[in-house]
Amino acid sequence: MTYETPKTYETIEVTPLTPLLGGEISGIDLTKPLSNRQVDDLHRAFADRSVIFFRDQHLDFEHHKTLARYFGGIHIAPSTAPWQAPGHPEITIIHADKDSKYVAGEDWHSDMSCDPEPPLGSILYLHTVPEPGGDTVFSSMYAAYDALSERMKAHLEGLTAVHDAVVGFGGITPEGMKLPRSSHPVIRTHPVTGKKAIYVNRGFTTHIEGIPRAESNALLSYLYDHVQRPEFQCRFHWRPHSIAFWDNRSLQHSAIWDYFPETRSGYRVQISGDRPF
Ligand SMILES: [Fe+2]
């Protein structure tokens, strides 16, 4: 597969956050229906930057779902989840304030990698944000993979790892809720760009299969440190009515909770994905 970085966009402007990842999109109103050319440009920017950002977009639930549907079906969380928006099972409420005992996503992770078919992307819209604080940090798993030695790449090729929701959500889910557990390649290939990316994360991965547990622990610990190197990262500073739309296949992210007791609040939609390969 050949993938080329887009040189220009017809309908939008894309301002890169770093040379490797992140792009702030301007020149588009996501509350209006989008043309095919606009959708095509967004697809190309998303593939190229792995995470795209929008400012000053006052989304309601329908706008939010419509944006997701330009990229695929909507991934719906189990119906017992207490954080669904009432009457809108596609919408997850993301909220932290003075009463919060934890926030979702503080550890580096790829969303729901414990699912057999994890969501390909997540669209987070925040209407209320602390100032300052509450940034989200993203790390490129393409860059992390590319920086490995050829020997390490060869060693990891073909290995699989178990991802278990108990690691991420074990303490916070309602009693009796079934928590998914899946096996995925340690190195996955992105279905759109054809690039390889590291696909183990501290938030969900328990162990690499088929090797002694001590060896798995040592390898994972090395990889978890490696994927956090600052040169692989970009950091997004939220303002009210901003959107971050990230690719779970090529990124990990971490939500920084440095703003207690302030409020950070909004909604998230996830887009269905395929089985990693
Ligand atoms: Fe997340």
PDB file of all heavy atoms in Angstrom, residues 106 130 132-135 235 256-260:
ATOM      1  N   GLU A 106      -6.509   8.711  32.514  1.00  0.00           N
ATOM      2  CA  GLU A 106      -5.263   9.352  32.960  1.00  0.00           C
ATOM      3  C   GLU A 106      -4.026   8.584  32.508  1.00  0.00           C
ATOM      4  O   GLU A 106      -2.997   9.172  32.202  1.00  0.00           O
ATOM      5  CB  GLU A 106      -5.257   9.443  34.488  1.00  0.00           C
ATOM      6  CG  GLU A 106      -5.819  10.736  35.024  1.00  0.00           C
ATOM      7  CD  GLU A 106      -5.467  10.908  36.489  1.00  0.00           C
ATOM      8  OE1 GLU A 106      -6.008  10.146  37.332  1.00  0.00           O
ATOM      9  OE2 GLU A 106      -4.648  11.773  36.776  1.00  0.00           O
ATOM     10  N   PRO A 130     -11.411  23.809  32.370  1.00  0.00           N
ATOM     11  CA  PRO A 130     -10.684  24.634  33.335  1.00  0.00           C
ATOM     12  C   PRO A 130      -9.725  25.563  32.586  1.00  0.00           C
ATOM     13  O   PRO A 130      -9.366  25.296  31.448  1.00  0.00           O
ATOM     14  CB  PRO A 130      -9.905  23.596  34.162  1.00  0.00           C
ATOM     15  CG  PRO A 130      -9.784  22.399  33.285  1.00  0.00           C
ATOM     16  CD  PRO A 130     -10.965  22.401  32.374  1.00  0.00           C
ATOM     17  N   PRO A 132      -6.145  27.561  33.646  1.00  0.00           N
ATOM     18  CA  PRO A 132      -5.594  26.569  32.727  1.00  0.00           C
ATOM     19  C   PRO A 132      -5.853  25.157  33.229  1.00  0.00           C
ATOM     20  O   PRO A 132      -6.435  24.985  34.300  1.00  0.00           O
ATOM     21  CB  PRO A 132      -4.097  26.880  32.764  1.00  0.00           C
ATOM     22  CG  PRO A 132      -3.861  27.314  34.188  1.00  0.00           C
ATOM     23  CD  PRO A 132      -5.137  28.034  34.608  1.00  0.00           C
ATOM     24  N   GLY A 133      -5.389  24.159  32.494  1.00  0.00           N
ATOM     25  CA  GLY A 133      -5.427  22.763  32.940  1.00  0.00           C
ATOM     26  C   GLY A 133      -6.282  21.889  32.057  1.00  0.00           C
ATOM     27  O   GLY A 133      -6.979  22.362  31.153  1.00  0.00           O
ATOM     28  N   GLY A 134      -6.217  20.573  32.306  1.00  0.00           N
ATOM     29  CA  GLY A 134      -7.063  19.616  31.600  1.00  0.00           C
ATOM     30  C   GLY A 134      -6.632  19.331  30.177  1.00  0.00           C
ATOM     31  O   GLY A 134      -7.433  18.860  29.362  1.00  0.00           O
ATOM     32  N   ASP A 135      -5.364  19.585  29.854  1.00  0.00           N
ATOM     33  CA  ASP A 135      -4.886  19.296  28.493  1.00  0.00           C
ATOM     34  C   ASP A 135      -4.966  17.794  28.211  1.00  0.00           C
ATOM     35  O   ASP A 135      -4.982  16.980  29.134  1.00  0.00           O
ATOM     36  CB  ASP A 135      -3.420  19.721  28.315  1.00  0.00           C
ATOM     37  CG  ASP A 135      -3.227  21.230  28.364  1.00  0.00           C
ATOM     38  OD1 ASP A 135      -4.227  21.962  28.516  1.00  0.00           O
ATOM     39  OD2 ASP A 135      -2.071  21.665  28.275  1.00  0.00           O
ATOM     40  N   ARG A 235       0.505  18.136  22.485  1.00  0.00           N
ATOM     41  CA  ARG A 235      -0.323  18.429  23.658  1.00  0.00           C
ATOM     42  C   ARG A 235      -1.368  19.457  23.263  1.00  0.00           C
ATOM     43  O   ARG A 235      -1.028  20.515  22.719  1.00  0.00           O
ATOM     44  CB  ARG A 235       0.582  18.962  24.772  1.00  0.00           C
ATOM     45  CG  ARG A 235      -0.171  19.361  26.023  1.00  0.00           C
ATOM     46  CD  ARG A 235       0.814  19.532  27.158  1.00  0.00           C
ATOM     47  NE  ARG A 235       0.141  20.040  28.340  1.00  0.00           N
ATOM     48  CZ  ARG A 235       0.523  19.771  29.592  1.00  0.00           C
ATOM     49  NH1 ARG A 235       1.587  19.008  29.803  1.00  0.00           N
ATOM     50  NH2 ARG A 235      -0.130  20.270  30.615  1.00  0.00           N
ATOM     51  N   ILE A 256      -4.920  14.697  31.225  1.00  0.00           N
ATOM     52  CA  ILE A 256      -4.218  15.191  32.426  1.00  0.00           C
ATOM     53  C   ILE A 256      -5.230  15.767  33.420  1.00  0.00           C
ATOM     54  O   ILE A 256      -6.007  16.666  33.081  1.00  0.00           O
ATOM     55  CB  ILE A 256      -3.189  16.271  32.029  1.00  0.00           C
ATOM     56  CG1 ILE A 256      -2.151  15.667  31.054  1.00  0.00           C
ATOM     57  CG2 ILE A 256      -2.504  16.824  33.270  1.00  0.00           C
ATOM     58  CD1 ILE A 256      -1.196  16.693  30.503  1.00  0.00           C
ATOM     59  N   TRP A 257      -5.192  15.240  34.636  1.00  0.00           N
ATOM     60  CA  TRP A 257      -6.123  15.720  35.683  1.00  0.00           C
ATOM     61  C   TRP A 257      -5.335  16.583  36.660  1.00  0.00           C
ATOM     62  O   TRP A 257      -4.996  16.167  37.756  1.00  0.00           O
ATOM     63  CB  TRP A 257      -6.754  14.530  36.394  1.00  0.00           C
ATOM     64  CG  TRP A 257      -7.930  14.894  37.250  1.00  0.00           C
ATOM     65  CD1 TRP A 257      -8.740  15.971  37.134  1.00  0.00           C
ATOM     66  CD2 TRP A 257      -8.435  14.147  38.371  1.00  0.00           C
ATOM     67  NE1 TRP A 257      -9.732  15.952  38.080  1.00  0.00           N
ATOM     68  CE2 TRP A 257      -9.554  14.839  38.852  1.00  0.00           C
ATOM     69  CE3 TRP A 257      -8.043  12.955  38.998  1.00  0.00           C
ATOM     70  CZ2 TRP A 257     -10.293  14.381  39.958  1.00  0.00           C
ATOM     71  CZ3 TRP A 257      -8.772  12.510  40.077  1.00  0.00           C
ATOM     72  CH2 TRP A 257      -9.892  13.209  40.551  1.00  0.00           C
ATOM     73  N   ASP A 258      -5.063  17.811  36.235  1.00  0.00           N
ATOM     74  CA  ASP A 258      -4.285  18.734  37.059  1.00  0.00           C
ATOM     75  C   ASP A 258      -5.148  19.892  37.530  1.00  0.00           C
ATOM     76  O   ASP A 258      -4.642  20.892  37.999  1.00  0.00           O
ATOM     77  CB  ASP A 258      -3.081  19.259  36.247  1.00  0.00           C
ATOM     78  CG  ASP A 258      -3.506  19.905  34.929  1.00  0.00           C
ATOM     79  OD1 ASP A 258      -4.726  19.935  34.639  1.00  0.00           O
ATOM     80  OD2 ASP A 258      -2.626  20.371  34.184  1.00  0.00           O
ATOM     81  N   TYR A 259      -6.491  19.770  37.382  1.00  0.00           N
ATOM     82  CA  TYR A 259      -7.371  20.922  37.565  1.00  0.00           C
ATOM     83  C   TYR A 259      -8.355  20.753  38.716  1.00  0.00           C
ATOM     84  O   TYR A 259      -9.218  21.603  38.897  1.00  0.00           O
ATOM     85  CB  TYR A 259      -8.134  21.227  36.276  1.00  0.00           C
ATOM     86  CG  TYR A 259      -8.835  20.010  35.696  1.00  0.00           C
ATOM     87  CD1 TYR A 259     -10.137  19.693  36.066  1.00  0.00           C
ATOM     88  CD2 TYR A 259      -8.180  19.171  34.792  1.00  0.00           C
ATOM     89  CE1 TYR A 259     -10.766  18.570  35.546  1.00  0.00           C
ATOM     90  CE2 TYR A 259      -8.789  18.062  34.273  1.00  0.00           C
ATOM     91  CZ  TYR A 259     -10.082  17.757  34.647  1.00  0.00           C
ATOM     92  OH  TYR A 259     -10.700  16.641  34.133  1.00  0.00           O
ATOM     93  N   PHE A 260      -8.256  19.650  39.472  1.00  0.00           N
ATOM     94  CA  PHE A 260      -9.168  19.481  40.603  1.00  0.00           C
ATOM     95  C   PHE A 260      -9.083  20.714  41.490  1.00  0.00           C
ATOM     96  O   PHE A 260      -7.982  21.189  41.780  1.00  0.00           O
ATOM     97  CB  PHE A 260      -8.770  18.232  41.407  1.00  0.00           C
ATOM     98  CG  PHE A 260      -9.678  17.955  42.564  1.00  0.00           C
ATOM     99  CD1 PHE A 260     -10.850  17.244  42.386  1.00  0.00           C
ATOM    100  CD2 PHE A 260      -9.378  18.441  43.835  1.00  0.00           C
ATOM    101  CE1 PHE A 260     -11.712  17.006  43.454  1.00  0.00           C
ATOM    102  CE2 PHE A 260     -10.240  18.217  44.899  1.00  0.00           C
ATOM    103  CZ  PHE A 260     -11.392  17.495  44.713  1.00  0.00           C
TER     104      PHE A 260
END
